[in-house]
Every structure is written in C-alpha cells, then in structure tokens.
Amino acid sequence: MYKLVVVDDEYNIRDGIVNAVPWKDCNVVVVGEACDGDEGLEVVEKTLPDIIITDINMDNMDGLAFAKHVKERYPWMKVIILSGYDEFEYAKTALQLKVFSYLLKPILPNELIEVVQEVIKEICEDSQIHEKIKSLESEVELNKEIIMEKLLKDLVYGKMRDIVHFQERTSLIDMNIKEGYFACLVFSLDSYYCLVEATSSSAVSTLLGEMRTIIQEEFSTEHVVWSFDDAAGSIVVILQENLGRRSLGIKKVYTSIDKVKEVVKTSLNVSVSVGIGNFYNDMLKLSHSYSEAAKALEFKITAGKGCIIHIDDVALMSPKPFTYPKDKEHAIILGLTHDDEQEIREALGSFFQEIELRACMKDDLRLSVMELFTVLSRKVLDLGLDMHRLYEKDLVDPYKALDRFDTTEEIKNWFTNIILGCIMALRKNRRDDTKSIIRKAQSYLECNYSNDGLSLDVLAEYLYLSPAYFSKLFKKETGKTYMEYLTRLRIQKAKELLKKTNIRINDIGSAVGYSNSQYFITLFKKLTGKTPSDYRERE
C-alpha cells in the first residue's frame, strides 16, 4: 500500500482527511500525522511516506517551508498543498517547489481521492520505468535505444553528475561520445492539447515520432545529434559539434531549425516553436543548456506560435519586475457588476495587454490568471451563481486550462468566454420568477421534511443556487430563515400526527425528521409551550 502523511494545524481538518476518507479503498494507508512543519519533518523521516498532504498556513514551520525541506531531502515524495482562496500569493513558491498539486479549500473527499489517485498513477509510472531499466540491464544488446534514451535523459535532467560513471554506462552500449561542444534544443508542438482532443493521443504520438525523424535527418548532416520525447508535445534535441568545427556556430543551427519547421509544416501540417540553449564544452553542463532552452521556450506565451527563441534573446524580452495589475482587475469587476458585456471585454483586453507588457514568463501569467479567476469566481458567487456548477470541472480549472493554451490571446479568449457565460447565466437567474423558486423550495420541503439529512446546502443544490444566495432569497420572500421555516413545518406535521394518530412520540419525532427524540421534545415545547404528551392529551 502507498504510505500517506497528513500535516495540518487544524485538528478537525486533519482528522477529517485521516479518518473521513476511505483510504483503504485507494490502496493507501495513513502512517502519520502532524500539526506543523517541524513535527511533520520528524514524521516523514520516521515513516518515509510516498504522499504528503499539507496545509499552507501553520505555526512554527509553514507548509511551503515544510515542502521545501521535504523536496530537498526526499525529492521523490509527492506533496499536495491545501490552501484557502486568499493565499494565491504563495502559488509561485509552490510552483518552484514542484509540488504535485495545489488544491483550494474546502475540498470534498472524492476530489481529494481523485488527486491522490493521480499521484499514485505517477508513482506507478516512475516505478515501472525504474523496474524496466533494471530488467533491461540483462538484455543490453536488445535494448540499446531504450538504455541510450534513459542515459540522455539523466544527463539532460541533471541526474547524471559523474562523467566517469556516464562513460562507463555508455561504453556498455557502444555509445562513443567524443569531446566537443554540446547544446540542447526543445521543439514544442504548437496547440498540442487541441491536437490531442481533435485526434487522439496515439495519433499525436505518431506525429511526434515523424517529427523526430525529420529533425534527425536535418541536423545529422552537420552535427552529431540525439533526441527524445520530453513532456507533453515536446522533443529534446542534443547537438554536438567537434572542437575543430566550432565555427559552424549558432547561425547553422538557425538554418537547420528553419528547414525543420518548413518540412514539418508542409508534410505534417502542424507548427512548432523552438527554444535554444547555449553550447558548452562540458557534457555535464547539458542540463544547463536544457534549462536555458526550456526557459526560452516559455516566452512563446507572448512571442506567439512558431517562434524561435535563443536564451540570449530572453534578456532583451524580459520586462521590468512584475506587478499584478490590480486596477485592471477592478475594471473587470465593475463590468461584471454593471452587467455590461462590452465593458467586460474591454477590461479583460486591457488586463491581458498589461500582462503582456509586464510579464513574458508563463509562471507570471499563470499566477495573474489564477488570482483574477479566484476574485471573479467569488464575485460571481456573491451574485448568486457558482461557476463550478455551471461548467465542467476541467473547463474552469485554471491549472489545466493554462496548460492547454500556448499564447496570451488564447488564454484571454478562454477567460472571456467563461465570464460572458456567467453573465448569461446570471441574467437567466434574474429572469426567473423568485416566487416560483420559493414555491419550488416549499414544495420540496413539504415532500422531504421527514429526511433528517435535509439541509440548506441540499435544498440549494436542488435549486441550482449557491447556499448563501438562496438563504438570503428565502428569508426575504418568506420572512423566516430556512431553518425557522423547516422547524415550524416539522412541528406542524408533528401536531397533526399527535392529534390524528396513536403513534409513539419517539416515532413521531423520527417521522418528521428528528432522529433524536429528546431534541424533538425540547424543540416542540419551545415552539408550542407544551410537551408532545401534554399537547396530545389537551387536543
């Protein structure tokens, strides 16, 4: 079973996560819990869990500092951070720490289970890769390409720090790498997620394989070249130039990239963007070149699809220190309050234009969009609409949405469609006859008052309204709070049963929704001035 540790300074939340979630069904066992980061580190050191769920705001050592220590000591552990709406300023640090997921409170058990299942899936994949490499050691001659790719990934991802060890491993598969200059390129398939949705993952995987063939054929005329698939729709290309041929320089690289792009566009009908890292005469510094290429490629968000960006271009593109455009956010909220589509479109356009001017990095854009999304979702909720009920979960998940889009313009269009959809839904809600809603609620209560689990949340969900909005609406129209109304209805039904039947008083309490007979008797006397027994005798 997979081992889980829970760290949260709020006992009720920690206890709920530990005991209210059916972990055994997920093949998970809770091996420890802690109330802050300091205690959490001790528990982690003793239990060595696979998964950690931690709150972000805690005394002594907070969740971010705790996650940082965990990742430094045990980088393979998967950390899930729980946070409230007002804590998105911490998201940037969480991103840098490579936490597995950043979840907003409150979170339902089934939602937490879904995330943990995703963690388990990733752990399984990591474990499978590890086991596969071990098994391949006995079949080196039959699996040279797989072993070579693993070696290259270790080198590029910074997992290989000993050149002697690397050379020993490469010699096993006759991978003779001579001295020279080495650089990394990252080719990224534009609109990757849209292509997957339009075709299939297997079809896009085949397309990426064809791209690798095109890249190999073009670059191998002037360079020693290796390549492998990187994250979602990306290909890492390693180039080597001999020491005596350094004069080829970056110009030749650009020429080859242009040819690759042209062939890919003509034969595969897709476009690619490319990030370029520097050449180094030390193979172990390929991880630096890869990081440079990946960082350069992040600027595609503002440079646009089909771009070629060298790491040296980044200094020219980098703006002044980033600050969130609060004034633009306020203008969007005003447009939402005024119910003015044009005002909203203009305000959103101004917001994203400001983002483009101030922030070229995707992380900056991600944080800005998440903060704006949080503010607007709360504003929409205040107006009586829960956008998470209006849209499918993935559509209004800023993390997933931002991964799907390549440019600021695409993200702006997604955001605009979400907000305008909320406007339409709000208008429809306002057009509905309020009295009809109340009658529907009263009818539901009339039919379900005997259910002891009947709550404001249950009724609000049945009416497709937020609990807060429905509570205000009900009080305004009936003059009573939801609980006052339900209580009086139940007591009235109890009176009728007391007058017309000989049912035991305890059973009458259960029949009108009160499983606790003593509570029923106390409440009955409070509202009628008599106990149920006295009422039955006098009536």
Side-chain angles (χ1 to χ4, degrees):
M1 298 184 77
Y2 297 94
K3 296 188 290 184
L4 170 68
V5 164
V6 180
V7 184
D8 198 308
D9 60 348
E10 294 186 51
Y11 173 79
N12 290 338
I13 294 177
R14 189 172 73 248
D15 184 68
I17 294 173
V18 171
N19 296 309
V21 179
W23 292 120
K24 285 187 178 180
D25 296 344
C26 306
N27 200 28
V28 173
V29 59
V30 179
V31 296
E33 55 182 289
C35 63
D36 61 35
D38 287 331
E39 185 181 354
L41 287 176
E42 294 179 5
V43 174
V44 166
E45 186 174 353
K46 291 178 181 177
T47 60
L48 295 178
D50 303 292
I51 308 165
I52 300 169
I53 298 175
T54 178
D55 188 20
I56 200 167
N57 276 338
M58 298 183 291
D59 294 334
N60 298 326
M61 182 190 295
D62 65 22
L64 291 176
F66 168 66
K68 182 175 184 295
H69 283 295
V70 168
K71 283 296 184 179
E72 287 174 350
R73 299 181 189 179
Y74 314 104
W76 64 88
M77 291 183 183
K78 309 298 182 184
V79 179
I80 299 171
I81 286 184
L82 304 181
S83 173
Y85 274 122
D86 296 329
E87 299 172 337
F88 267 103
E89 61 271 23
Y90 300 125
K92 184 174 182 179
T93 303
L95 287 169
Q96 293 170 343
L97 293 174
K98 305 297 182 184
V99 300
F100 182 86
S101 190
Y102 189 95
L103 303 179
L104 298 178
K105 293 181 179 178
I107 182 167
L108 298 175
N110 62 326
E111 293 175 335
L112 189 57
I113 287 173
E114 286 181 12
V115 174
V116 171
Q117 287 174 336
E118 291 177 8
V119 174
I120 292 172
K121 182 180 178 182
E122 184 166 296
I123 292 172
C124 289
E125 290 173 353
D126 291 345
S127 177
Q128 288 170 3
I129 292 173
H130 178 70
E131 291 300 318
K132 191 170 186 179
I133 293 300
K134 286 179 62 177
S135 67
L136 287 175
E137 289 177 352
S138 63
E139 303 175 14
V140 173
E141 290 304 317
L142 297 176
N143 298 280
K144 283 186 177 180
E145 290 187 8
I146 296 175
I147 296 174
M148 182 184 296
E149 183 169 309
K150 176 64 168 63
L151 290 175
L152 292 173
K153 285 183 176 180
D154 285 350
L155 189 64
V156 166
Y157 295 153
K159 297 179 181 180
M160 183 66 65
R161 302 182 182 276
D162 185 346
I163 191 63
V164 175
H165 180 49
F166 179 76
Q167 290 171 341
E168 288 174 351
R169 293 172 69 182
T170 55
S171 65
L172 293 174
I173 54 173
D174 299 324
M175 185 180 172
N176 186 19
I177 301 178
K178 299 178 181 179
E179 290 186 348
Y181 289 92
F182 301 88
C184 270
L185 315 180
V186 178
F187 283 75
S188 175
L189 183 60
D190 294 332
S191 304
Y192 168 76
Y193 288 99
C194 293
L195 286 171
V196 171
E197 291 174 0
T199 56
S200 66
S201 296
S202 60
V204 176
S205 180
T206 300
L207 186 149
L208 287 168
E210 294 172 356
M211 276 179 54
R212 280 183 64 181
T213 300
I214 294 170
I215 292 168
Q216 289 281 152
E217 290 177 352
E218 171 57 35
F219 280 97
S220 61
T221 59
E222 298 289 352
H223 301 83
V224 179
V225 55
W226 301 274
S227 66
F228 59 85
D229 292 339
D230 198 16
S234 296
I235 297 171
V236 174
V237 177
I238 302 171
L239 301 181
Q240 179 187 4
E241 288 185 353
N242 294 333
L243 289 172
R245 301 186 66 196
R246 185 68 187 95
S247 58
L248 282 170
I250 198 66
K251 184 176 180 180
K252 179 59 183 176
V253 174
Y254 273 99
T255 301
S256 295
I257 291 173
D258 285 334
K259 288 182 180 179
V260 169
K261 288 182 61 184
E262 182 180 353
V263 175
V264 167
K265 183 65 177 177
T266 303
S267 61
L268 304 180
N269 196 31
V270 293
S271 67
V272 293
S273 299
V274 187
I276 307 172
N278 283 314
F279 276 93
Y280 292 92
N281 63 0
D282 181 352
M283 180 179 290
L284 291 181
K285 289 187 177 179
L286 264 174
S287 59
H288 298 324
S289 186
Y290 169 73
S291 296
E292 291 169 348
K295 181 178 181 180
L297 195 56
E298 287 190 12
F299 283 75
K300 178 174 73 168
I301 199 75
T302 50
K305 299 176 183 180
C307 61
I308 304 173
I309 306 175
H310 191 281
I311 187 61
D312 291 345
D313 300 330
V314 170
L316 301 175
M317 300 173 68
S318 296
K320 296 178 181 179
F322 174 72
T323 53
Y324 178 78
K326 197 74 176 177
D327 56 328
K328 309 300 181 184
E329 172 201 288
H330 182 64
I332 297 170
I333 292 175
L334 283 178
L336 189 61
T337 304
H338 297 158
D339 190 17
D340 189 324
E341 287 187 36
Q342 186 59 32
E343 187 177 350
I344 289 173
R345 288 182 185 275
E346 291 176 358
L348 279 169
S350 180
F351 178 91
F352 281 96
Q353 183 179 32
E354 188 76 10
I355 294 296
E356 285 187 329
L357 292 174
R358 296 186 182 187
C360 291
M361 298 296 290
K362 193 166 186 175
D363 278 354
D364 289 335
L365 178 63
R366 185 191 299 273
L367 290 171
S368 298
V369 169
M370 290 176 68
E371 183 166 350
L372 180 62
F373 185 88
T374 300
V375 170
L376 292 183
S377 64
R378 294 164 78 183
K379 180 62 179 178
V380 169
L381 191 62
D382 289 342
L383 294 173
L385 180 71
D386 186 345
M387 68 168 62
H388 291 86
R389 293 179 179 174
L390 181 63
Y391 294 106
E392 292 182 7
K393 180 181 176 182
D394 286 353
L395 187 60
V396 289
D397 184 330
Y399 255 75
K400 292 184 178 179
L402 287 167
D403 282 338
R404 292 180 68 248
F405 302 122
D406 291 328
T407 65
T408 307
E409 184 65 22
E410 289 177 333
I411 295 171
K412 182 188 74 174
N413 291 339
W414 164 77
F415 214 118
T416 301
N417 290 335
I418 292 291
I419 298 304
L420 292 184
C422 290
I423 287 287
M424 296 298 104
L426 286 169
R427 289 175 180 172
K428 181 179 182 303
N429 284 354
R430 284 194 289 268
R431 286 195 298 267
D432 290 342
D433 183 4
T434 300
K435 294 186 182 299
S436 174
I437 294 174
I438 298 302
R439 283 197 298 270
K440 188 175 181 181
Q442 291 170 328
S443 176
Y444 185 89
L445 292 174
E446 186 72 28
C447 295
N448 295 277
Y449 67 86
S450 61
N451 181 0
D452 63 354
L454 184 59
S455 67
L456 176 66
D457 287 353
V458 170
L459 183 51
E461 184 175 1
Y462 170 74
L463 297 170
Y464 298 101
L465 298 173
S466 70
Y469 177 72
F470 171 69
S471 179
K472 293 178 183 178
L473 189 66
F474 193 90
K475 177 68 182 294
K476 179 180 178 182
E477 293 300 316
T478 66
K480 301 180 182 66
T481 66
Y482 161 81
M483 187 51 68
E484 288 171 347
Y485 184 93
L486 177 59
T487 301
R488 290 183 182 279
L489 174 63
R490 284 172 165 171
I491 296 302
Q492 181 59 39
K493 296 296 182 181
K495 287 180 179 179
E496 294 173 9
L497 291 172
L498 287 167
K499 286 193 291 185
K500 297 177 182 179
T501 72
N502 292 321
I503 299 174
R504 293 190 320 146
I505 290 173
N506 286 357
D507 294 336
I508 289 177
S510 297
V512 298
Y514 296 111
S515 56
N516 185 319
S517 59
Q518 189 57 49
Y519 177 73
F520 164 64
I521 293 170
T522 301
L523 194 60
F524 188 96
K525 184 175 182 180
K526 179 180 179 181
L527 292 181
T528 65
K530 307 179 185 70
T531 66
S533 299
D534 291 342
Y535 183 89
R536 172 172 273 171
E537 290 175 2
R538 295 182 184 183
E539 294 296 325

